[in-house]
Amino acid sequence: MGNYTRMELDAMKHSRIKTLAITKCRQLDKASSWVQSAKQYELIDFLVDNKVPTPPEESTPRRPEAPTPQPQPQTAPSGSLEDMLADKVAEKLGDDIYKRTESIRDTFIEGVAEETTKMNQLIDDKLKELQNPVYVKINDVEVKKTDGLKHKQFPFVLECLKHFKRVWLCGPSGTGKSFLIEQCADALGFNTDEDNYEYLKGSAGVTESHMTGRMTFDGTFIDGAVARSFRNGSFLCLDEFDGFDANCGLVFNSVFDNQGVLATPNDKDNPVAKKHDDFHVAVASNTWGDGNDFEFAGRGQLDLATLDRLQAVKVHVDYDRNVERALAGDFTDMANVLWKLRDQCKSEHVRRTISTRLFLDGQTWRLAGKSNKQFLDIVTTGWTKEELSKVNVNGLLKESK
């Protein structure tokens, strides 16, 4: 039997130390009955210093039962991930692992620490990729690079616009649909700085004259956003598309199809606008045009002929956790709380929106010194007692610690 140090013996299982003690008793021709009831520190004393525990009947004071502090390796804190992994490896390879080579423990710990550092760097690099310029090629033609965070649907939306010059984005509130449209338009060379990007938001108050133009009392014609972009080859963003009046929305049938003309009856000089080759249009909505639901009031049912013209270019835009993680900055605990809150709202049928923009707002509050609890108190202000009970905010905060 080889000689072991206290540190090596302290790392072994109690059963293994007993076996070694019994073997040594046989070698020294001593009784071994005491081994089964001996404490671990007593066995270690025997193996290292040949000290046999004093029998209980003797009057000699017994040693304290608290284990004698043993020297610990300084390369990793006790209970750390590296230390636990090293112990598990020792159990698998045998108790004499430290005897075979004194440096293997330190080498293993250093290796785990190095790999952990590499993994953290990979995570940081992945987050940086979300903010790096994205280059998209369509038919081997590279479009303009676009900076900023990219939603995972960015390439597909851009592909729809490139092939069809139209696209329909639909998804929950606050997923970044409008911003995604702006990014894709910019990638294709359209932006407000170039005066070739038009924006029109749907509501019941939007009339046909807002779209195709109107005549003033003195005979002056004021062009509409839809007709102007259609004629000049601009990019048209129709936000809250399901908020337009269905009858008024029939104007869009000429915009979405391949007819190439749009009636502008209020323009006496040019009653028909011809479609420019560079004209692109993107629409964004919270519903697929089926009308009101429990979450989005004030949404109208869209004409079936209008929906038919967009069937091939529909894109569902849901919450992108990669983008939300980046927007949360260093406050991953805050991001976890919001994700759990969103999941609770969904599972408990609580009609509240935890949108992507809330992660950026949360980072702002955390940088201002607010805690997660203070931030959630602000977010849930106005919620009913029943809603707060269902989502269990205090429980979410405890889980995230």
Side-chain angles (χ1 to χ4, degrees), residues 34 42 51-63:
W34 62 271
E42 294 175 331
K51 292 182 179 179
V52 179
T54 303
E57 58 271 16
E58 294 183 5
S59 59
T60 305
R62 297 188 62 177
R63 297 182 58 166

Side-chain angles (χ1 to χ4, degrees), residues 224-238:
V226 175
R228 183 170 51 250
S229 57
F230 188 85
R231 183 188 303 109
N232 298 335
S234 300
F235 192 104
L236 176 62
C237 174
L238 299 171

Side-chain angles (χ1 to χ4, degrees), residues 101 115 257 270 278 287 352:
T101 168
E115 291 301 318
D257 63 20
N270 299 288
D278 293 334
T287 69
R352 298 289 179 175

Side-chain angles (χ1 to χ4, degrees), residues 258-377:
N258 298 319
Q259 185 176 355
V261 293
L262 176 66
T264 54
N266 290 326
D267 187 357
K268 61 181 180 180
D269 296 326
N270 299 288
V272 175
K274 294 183 178 181
K275 185 177 182 179
H276 195 285
D277 288 340
D278 293 334
F279 173 69
H280 291 69
V281 58
V283 302
S285 65
N286 298 123
T287 69
W288 291 110
D290 299 323
N292 293 338
D293 61 19
F294 289 107
E295 293 184 7
F296 302 102
R299 311 296 167 144
Q301 183 176 355
L302 298 178
D303 183 76
L304 188 60
T306 303
L307 300 179
D308 179 63
R309 287 163 167 80
L310 295 170
Q311 284 196 90
V313 290
K314 295 190 291 185
V315 181
H316 181 248
V317 180
D318 206 347
Y319 299 110
D320 189 337
R321 289 203 173 192
N322 288 328
V323 172
E324 292 173 342
R325 169 62 185 84
L327 291 176
D330 296 330
F331 305 106
T332 55
D333 56 333
M334 181 267 295
N336 288 328
V337 170
L338 290 179
W339 286 328
K340 290 178 181 179
L341 180 59
R342 178 190 290 161
D343 292 340
Q344 281 291 92
C345 288
K346 184 176 180 180
S347 63
E348 297 296 333
H349 305 288
V350 175
R351 292 171 54 194
R352 298 289 179 175
T353 299
I354 309 300
S355 68
T356 296
R357 63 174 65 96
L358 200 56
F359 289 76
L360 182 59
D361 295 338
Q363 180 188 181
T364 302
W365 272 123
R366 288 298 303 274
L367 290 173
K370 299 292 185 183
S371 64
N372 285 338
K373 184 180 186 309
Q374 290 172 319
F375 174 53
L376 284 190
D377 287 342

Side-chain angles (χ1 to χ4, degrees), residues 120-391:
N120 290 334
Q121 185 62 47
L122 287 175
I123 294 173
D124 291 339
D125 292 343
K126 185 63 178 177
L127 291 175
K128 290 179 181 178
E129 285 179 9
L130 294 171
Q131 305 182 48
N132 287 339
V134 173
Y135 300 87
V136 179
K137 286 188 176 182
I138 300 176
N139 294 336
D140 295 327
V141 177
E142 186 176 288
V143 299
K144 178 184 175 183
K145 70 176 182 179
T146 303
D147 297 325
L149 291 171
K150 307 297 184 306
H151 193 281
K152 59 186 177 183
Q153 292 286 33
F154 174 84
F156 182 51
V157 174
L158 192 58
E159 191 175 11
C160 289
L161 288 169
K162 190 65 177 179
H163 292 307
F164 298 94
K165 297 185 178 181
R166 65 183 185 276
V167 67
W168 183 6
L169 279 63
C170 180
S173 175
T175 56
K177 297 182 292 295
S178 301
F179 183 63
L180 178 54
I181 290 175
E182 288 183 27
Q183 286 183 313
C184 290
D186 184 65
L188 295 171
F190 299 96
N191 55 70
T192 54
D193 294 336
E194 299 294 334
D195 201 26
N196 58 4
Y197 182 88
E198 297 277 357
Y199 177 87
L200 185 63
K201 194 165 189 175
S203 71
V206 177
T207 64
E208 186 175 342
S209 62
H210 288 98
M211 303 179 188
T212 61
R214 62 187 185 277
M215 189 75 69
T216 63
F217 69 94
D218 60 355
T220 302
F221 176 73
I222 300 177
D223 209 356
V226 175
R228 183 170 51 250
S229 57
F230 188 85
R231 183 188 303 109
N232 298 335
S234 300
F235 192 104
L236 176 62
C237 174
L238 299 171
D239 203 4
E240 308 294 351
F241 185 61
D242 46 358
F244 287 103
D245 177 75
N247 186 59
C248 179
L250 294 177
V251 173
F252 298 128
N253 290 355
S254 299
V255 174
F256 297 142
D257 63 20
N258 298 319
Q259 185 176 355
V261 293
L262 176 66
T264 54
N266 290 326
D267 187 357
K268 61 181 180 180
D269 296 326
N270 299 288
V272 175
K274 294 183 178 181
K275 185 177 182 179
H276 195 285
D277 288 340
D278 293 334
F279 173 69
H280 291 69
V281 58
V283 302
S285 65
N286 298 123
T287 69
W288 291 110
D290 299 323
N292 293 338
D293 61 19
F294 289 107
E295 293 184 7
F296 302 102
R299 311 296 167 144
Q301 183 176 355
L302 298 178
D303 183 76
L304 188 60
T306 303
L307 300 179
D308 179 63
R309 287 163 167 80
L310 295 170
Q311 284 196 90
V313 290
K314 295 190 291 185
V315 181
H316 181 248
V317 180
D318 206 347
Y319 299 110
D320 189 337
R321 289 203 173 192
N322 288 328
V323 172
E324 292 173 342
R325 169 62 185 84
L327 291 176
D330 296 330
F331 305 106
T332 55
D333 56 333
M334 181 267 295
N336 288 328
V337 170
L338 290 179
W339 286 328
K340 290 178 181 179
L341 180 59
R342 178 190 290 161
D343 292 340
Q344 281 291 92
C345 288
K346 184 176 180 180
S347 63
E348 297 296 333
H349 305 288
V350 175
R351 292 171 54 194
R352 298 289 179 175
T353 299
I354 309 300
S355 68
T356 296
R357 63 174 65 96
L358 200 56
F359 289 76
L360 182 59
D361 295 338
Q363 180 188 181
T364 302
W365 272 123
R366 288 298 303 274
L367 290 173
K370 299 292 185 183
S371 64
N372 285 338
K373 184 180 186 309
Q374 290 172 319
F375 174 53
L376 284 190
D377 287 342
I378 297 172
V379 172
T380 57
T381 297
W383 290 28
T384 65
K385 291 183 178 180
E386 182 182 4
E387 289 173 331
L388 292 173
S389 176
K390 284 183 176 181
V391 299

Side-chain angles (χ1 to χ4, degrees), residues 1 14-24 35 43 47:
M1 182 186 69
H14 189 65
S15 59
R16 173 60 176 165
I17 298 175
K18 282 184 178 180
T19 301
L20 292 174
I22 292 173
T23 302
K24 186 169 183 177
V35 172
L43 296 173
L47 291 171

